[in-house]
Amino acid sequence: LTVGGRMTYVAPTVPLATPELLQSYELNSYHLYGLYMSFALNENLTARINVDNLLDKAYVDAMGVPTYPAPGRTITFSMQGKF
């Protein structure tokens, strides 16, 4: 059994206003949390679960477009088998 978590912090953006670039948008900082678990059922079969954006935080990726928000809470189940 393997259990873990992760935290991602994105610092706030600093708008740029130069003659060569258009006025950039400003984003607030945010934290994202995730959990994962892997369980070896036997030597050939492993089950996994992963939860991204655990708290269902609404945010825009730091390098993304403000009109396209990032996905909310995402849960992924998987199985891996060796033959």
Side-chain angles (χ1 to χ4, degrees):
L1 176 67
T2 302
V3 177
R6 64 187 149 265
M7 187 272 299
T8 303
Y9 170 73
V10 177
T13 60
V14 178
L16 299 174
T18 65
E20 300 85 26
L21 299 173
L22 296 174
Q23 178 74 23
S24 65
Y25 59 90
E26 187 172 347
L27 289 175
N28 297 324
S29 65
Y30 59 87
H31 288 84
L32 297 175
Y33 301 94
L35 296 174
Y36 58 90
M37 183 177 76
S38 174
F39 183 71
L41 300 168
N42 59 41
E43 64 184 37
N44 295 320
L45 191 60
T46 303
R48 293 185 175 89
I49 184 171
N50 184 62
V51 181
D52 289 321
N53 196 359
L54 182 67
L55 302 177
D56 202 21
K57 174 80 173 167
Y59 70 100
V60 174
D61 283 319
M63 297 299 289
V65 178
T67 56
Y68 296 109
R73 182 181 304 117
T74 305
I75 302 171
T76 307
F77 299 96
S78 66
M79 296 282 290
Q80 178 181 1
K82 298 178 188 176
F83 298 96

